[in-house]
Amino acid sequence: MTLRKGRIVGYTHGVIQTSQYPIFPLNSRFLEIYEVYVHPDYRGDRIGSQLVDRMIAEAESNGITHAFVGSSNLDWQRTVGFYERHGFKMWYVQMYR
């Protein structure tokens, strides 16, 4: 959670999971990031990056070396770019029409 002027302007939520995904070793532990949110007035201030970096650093300090994130939104190019800057790689794509 990030505060500015006494109000919450960003938060993130994730959990440690046990892998059943083929991209990680079977039964290894990984961080799954469920949500990263920054109030629209504060986007572009690196708050989202700080939240993700802190979450990954905390997981790594507990021996977790893998992380996973999924996102469903229409601005997917921007979202992919954001996570690629944090070392994530594309695993799969789903499309609609």
Side-chain angles (χ1 to χ4, degrees):
M1 176 174 55
T2 299
L3 296 170
R4 294 282 158 84
K5 299 179 184 176
R7 75 185 228 199
I8 296 170
V9 299
Y11 66 88
T12 188
H13 170 67
V15 296
I16 302 302
Q17 303 276 26
T18 301
S19 181
Q20 301 301 315
Y21 294 113
I23 55 172
F24 302 136
L26 185 63
N27 295 321
S28 65
R29 296 184 324 143
F30 68 97
L31 168 65
E32 184 166 3
I33 299 173
Y34 285 139
E35 190 168 8
V36 176
Y37 176 80
V38 176
H39 188 281
D41 293 347
Y42 295 90
R43 292 180 185 161
D45 290 348
R46 297 201 34 81
I47 293 171
S49 289
Q50 292 169 3
L51 289 167
V52 169
D53 288 345
R54 188 170 16 172
M55 184 177 253
I56 290 171
E58 181 68 24
E60 288 175 345
S61 74
N62 287 288
I64 309 288
T65 59
H66 300 291
F68 180 83
V69 65
S71 179
S72 300
N73 67 68
L74 296 176
D75 193 10
W76 64 269
Q77 293 98 334
R78 187 172 163 192
T79 301
V80 167
F82 173 83
Y83 285 107
E84 284 179 336
R85 288 190 296 278
H86 291 278
F88 288 82
K89 294 173 179 45
M90 185 73 69
W91 175 37
Y92 68 91
V93 175
Q94 289 184 316
M95 301 175 82
Y96 70 96
R97 189 177 110 149

